[in-house]
Amino acid sequence: MARLLLLSSIFLQPSALLPLAEQLTGREHQVEVQGTDPGEGAKEALEQYSAALDGLRGKVGADPVVVIAHSNAGAYLPSLLDRFPGTPAIFLDAILPPFDGRCLALVPASLGKPLRGRAEAGLLPRWSRWWPRESVRALVNSDADFAQLDERCPRVAASYVDERLPLPAGWSAQATAGYLLLSDGYLGDWERAVSAGWPAQRLQLGHLGFLRDPGQVALALDHLSERLTGRDDTAGGVQ
């Protein structure tokens, strides 16, 4: 059993992670979900994530704390691990920042430029509308699920695409981290984690696999958290 903090991307409301949280709770974990204000920037997002992690770590209990970041929230993990040394972390189909970089663009320029051109009233389109509908619809189980997903994607401030986040020097050398890949979009990040010797698993469920099959994703996260917290004798490696 562990205390798990699920961090949702700024582009997706934290309620989207509740089915996964319920499955993890059923596996006897204490689970909290944290999002960030879509109208704010990177500095404010980091403070919101940090406050949630600090609060969970401060609660009475002997169970270890593990922070799990999905998608864009992965960009914030180096800063969180720098603030809270020794905290195990799992990148869930997420940005894996450079191990030796000084800062990170939160949205790649190749994506940010066209998105900026589609902004209205200073707000980006919903994440679910960045690509053709059929491409995003394929990530969930039904049309009803897609409609709910669309509602759960907030309008983020257009200025976010220009934000850069400083990276703590040598952050990965001290990190206790793992990676769970859900889609080919983050294959390069997963391969870097594997090359670094981190515990890593791979599921073919798509970027929003926790909506398609939250039980399978919860099982994989359970195994990774056990390995990162020393509750499993299995050595690091790919599963």
Side-chain angles (χ1 to χ4, degrees):
M1 179 177 177
R3 290 174 288 173
L4 307 179
L5 177 62
L6 304 181
L7 303 182
S8 69
S9 163
I10 193 172
F11 299 111
L12 188 63
Q13 291 181 359
S15 59
L17 290 173
L18 291 180
L20 175 59
E22 291 174 0
Q23 289 290 325
L24 289 166
T25 299
R27 304 189 70 83
E28 300 186 352
H29 296 291
Q30 178 185 339
V31 185
E32 295 186 12
V33 180
Q34 178 65 41
T36 185
D37 187 342
E40 301 286 358
K43 181 179 179 180
E44 293 79 10
L46 176 58
E47 294 306 319
Q48 291 172 41
Y49 290 144
S50 182
L53 181 54
D54 189 38
L56 185 57
R57 283 168 54 95
K59 291 184 177 180
V60 176
D63 296 319
V65 173
V66 180
V67 58
I68 302 169
H70 176 247
S71 196
N72 188 263
Y76 296 87
L77 282 181
S79 296
L80 292 174
L81 300 184
D82 186 58
R83 292 185 178 190
F84 304 99
T87 301
I90 299 173
F91 292 79
L92 174 58
D93 216 50
I95 293 173
L96 177 58
F99 292 156
D100 55 359
R102 294 184 178 180
C103 64
L104 173 71
L106 290 173
V107 178
S110 59
L111 183 59
K113 185 175 181 179
L115 284 175
R116 197 182 303 110
R118 295 173 58 193
E120 297 179 354
L123 299 175
L124 297 173
R126 300 175 188 270
W127 178 85
S128 52
R129 303 181 188 184
W130 291 7
W131 300 278
R133 182 186 186 281
E134 58 271 18
S135 299
V136 183
R137 165 63 183 84
L139 299 177
V140 293
N141 292 324
S142 68
D143 289 340
D145 288 343
F146 174 80
Q148 188 175 55
L149 169 65
D150 191 56
E151 293 177 357
R152 286 172 165 171
C153 293
R155 301 288 302 278
V156 175
S159 58
Y160 190 80
V161 302
D162 299 315
E163 295 242 29
R164 301 179 72 85
L165 193 66
L167 295 175
W171 70 269
S172 63
Q174 303 300 321
T176 301
Y179 202 108
L180 175 56
L181 181 70
L182 301 178
S183 70
D184 289 342
Y186 286 95
L187 180 59
D189 299 82
W190 180 80
E191 289 175 338
R192 287 174 47 230
V194 171
S195 295
W198 291 3
Q201 290 188 238
R202 183 175 184 178
L203 300 175
Q204 298 289 349
L205 291 175
H207 188 54
L208 302 178
F210 48 83
L211 292 177
R212 296 180 64 188
D213 192 342
Q216 189 175 356
V217 175
L219 177 61
L221 290 173
D222 186 33
H223 288 166
L224 282 173
S225 68
E226 285 183 347
R227 295 166 71 184
L228 293 173
T229 58
R231 294 174 296 130
D232 187 331
D233 294 332
T234 305
V238 181
Q239 286 190 346

